[in-house]
């Protein structure tokens, strides 16, 4: 039974991290997050890391050619029995076109692009409800877990706090940035028949089940 290679798109708060983790552990996907790969490069202070660092610290996109090289290298190492899950890439049309070309070059089918759809109101609700533990790093949610600022973490006792960029105003800004950046990409993949939209306002289990089904199904396009 063939699996699809996947690209995950979705606004902050869509649950991309959770779903990527599920696809990785339960379906054996190779999770390729350009954000993670770049952070590793910066920490190692290798050539790529040194070049990427300034952009990342300024909250800007790293130049296309650097990120494309990074992804191309991973793609060329993929075995024919391995499936990847791209997270954080492509971010631009130039990157999307380069990816299509890389895949053609290695004779691999184009991936299915999963758009995790969540309304603005739900994004604001989810992110403004987020509470972080400084002790163990666990992320809670007021709405889901009933734990609020100042409560103690059930796992380590740390005092929960809220990230400053999880205030409604900052969330709306991040959402606007995401929408501007993703609109062209979504349109690009829609035109090529690669886009599938999943209602990410459903419960985690329902979303996971849909993702598993999409990942396993035969050709969709
Ligand atoms: P965030 O959700 O904060 O954007 P990521 O982990 O996806 O987090 O990315 C962190 C940073 O890494 C970005 O702000 C950007 O500088 C860089 N980056 C990640 N992916 C890409 C990409 N596809 N193109 C350009 N820069 C990227
Ligand atoms: Zn904790």
């Amino acid at each position: 039974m063939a699996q699809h290679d996947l690209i995950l798109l979705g606004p902050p708060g869509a649950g991309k991290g959770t779903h990527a983790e599920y696809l990785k552990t339960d379906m054996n996907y190779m999770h390729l997050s350009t954000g993670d790969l770049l952070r590793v490069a910066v920490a190692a202070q290798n050539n790529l890391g040194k070049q990427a660092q300034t952009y990342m610290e300024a909250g800007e996109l790293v130049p296309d050619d650097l990120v494309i090289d990074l992804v191309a290298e991973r793609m060329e190492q993929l075995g024919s029995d391995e499936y990847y899950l791209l997270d954080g890439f492509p971010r631009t049309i130039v990157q999307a076109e380069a990816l299509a070309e890389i895949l053609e070059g290695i004779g691999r089918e184009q991936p299915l692009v999963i758009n995790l759809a969540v309304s603005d109101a739900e994004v604001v609700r989810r992110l403004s409800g987020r509470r972080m533990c400084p002790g163990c790093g666990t992320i809670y949610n007021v709405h889901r877990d009933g734990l609020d600022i100042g409560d103690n973490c059930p796992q380590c006792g740390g005092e929960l706090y809220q990230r400053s960029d999880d205030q409604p105003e900052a969330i709306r800004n991040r959402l606007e940035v995401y929408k501007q950046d993703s609109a062209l990409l979504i349109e690009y993949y829609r035109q090529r028949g690669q886009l599938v939209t999943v209602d990410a306002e459903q419960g985690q289990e329902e979303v996971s089940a849909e993702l598993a089904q999409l990942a396993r199904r035969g050709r969709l396009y």
Side-chain angles (χ1 to χ4, degrees):
M1 183 168 45
Q3 231 168 280
H4 278 295
D5 290 322
L6 302 175
I7 294 176
L8 269 192
L9 298 179
K16 234 177 14 163
T18 311
H19 297 305
E21 192 52 39
Y22 159 77
L23 289 163
K24 184 174 147 187
T25 51
D26 274 47
M27 298 194 69
N28 231 1
Y29 272 95
M30 205 175 70
H31 184 202
L32 281 180
S33 154
T34 44
D36 287 349
L37 293 172
L38 289 167
R39 277 185 289 272
V40 168
V42 170
Q45 282 294 300
N46 59 24
N47 207 0
L48 168 67
K50 283 183 189 152
Q51 288 178 269
Q53 187 165 19
T54 15
Y55 298 97
M56 294 177 73
E57 283 170 355
E60 288 164 17
L61 287 183
V62 170
D64 285 330
D65 54 342
L66 292 180
V67 191
I68 290 166
D69 284 351
L70 179 67
V71 170
E73 198 185 303
R74 305 283 149 154
M75 291 294 155
E76 278 152 16
Q77 289 165 0
L78 273 178
S80 55
D81 55 346
E82 286 183 299
Y83 295 90
Y84 64 83
L85 167 68
L86 271 174
D87 174 0
F89 183 95
R91 284 267 227 291
T92 64
I93 297 293
V94 171
Q95 292 178 12
E97 284 171 343
L99 175 65
E101 218 169 281
I102 292 164
L103 295 172
E104 246 168 64
I106 58 175
R108 206 166 170 114
E109 258 184 55
Q110 300 297 326
L112 192 62
V113 182
I114 296 183
N115 183 26
L116 294 170
V118 191
S119 67
D120 291 4
E122 180 64 9
V123 168
V124 174
R125 198 183 82 95
R126 286 184 186 179
L127 295 188
S128 60
R130 219 156 52 163
R131 301 292 180 262
M132 330 292 291
C133 172
C136 65
T138 305
I139 300 173
Y140 299 96
N141 195 290
V142 179
H143 311 298
R144 190 189 56 204
D145 309 308
L147 291 167
D148 211 340
I149 299 165
D151 287 345
N152 293 316
C153 171
Q155 304 195 48
C156 77
E159 199 177 310
L160 305 187
Y161 71 100
Q162 181 175 31
R163 274 169 49 170
S164 60
D165 59 346
D166 280 347
Q167 305 289 343
E169 198 47 36
I171 294 167
R172 287 201 189 88
N173 280 338
R174 273 148 74 197
L175 201 49
E176 283 316 306
V177 170
Y178 171 77
K179 282 203 223 171
Q180 271 180 18
D181 292 352
S182 63
L184 287 173
L185 274 180
I186 288 176
E187 198 39 42
Y188 173 87
Y189 284 121
R190 194 194 308 281
Q191 280 174 14
R192 305 182 113 214
Q194 284 173 259
L195 192 76
V196 182
T197 298
V198 168
D199 174 7
E201 286 196 24
Q202 308 174 87
Q204 207 166 290
E205 312 263 287
E206 283 83 5
V207 178
S208 294
E210 257 189 58
L211 293 180
Q213 214 183 7
L214 285 169
R216 284 206 197 90
R217 217 185 274 169
R219 284 189 68 87
L220 281 172
Y221 48 90

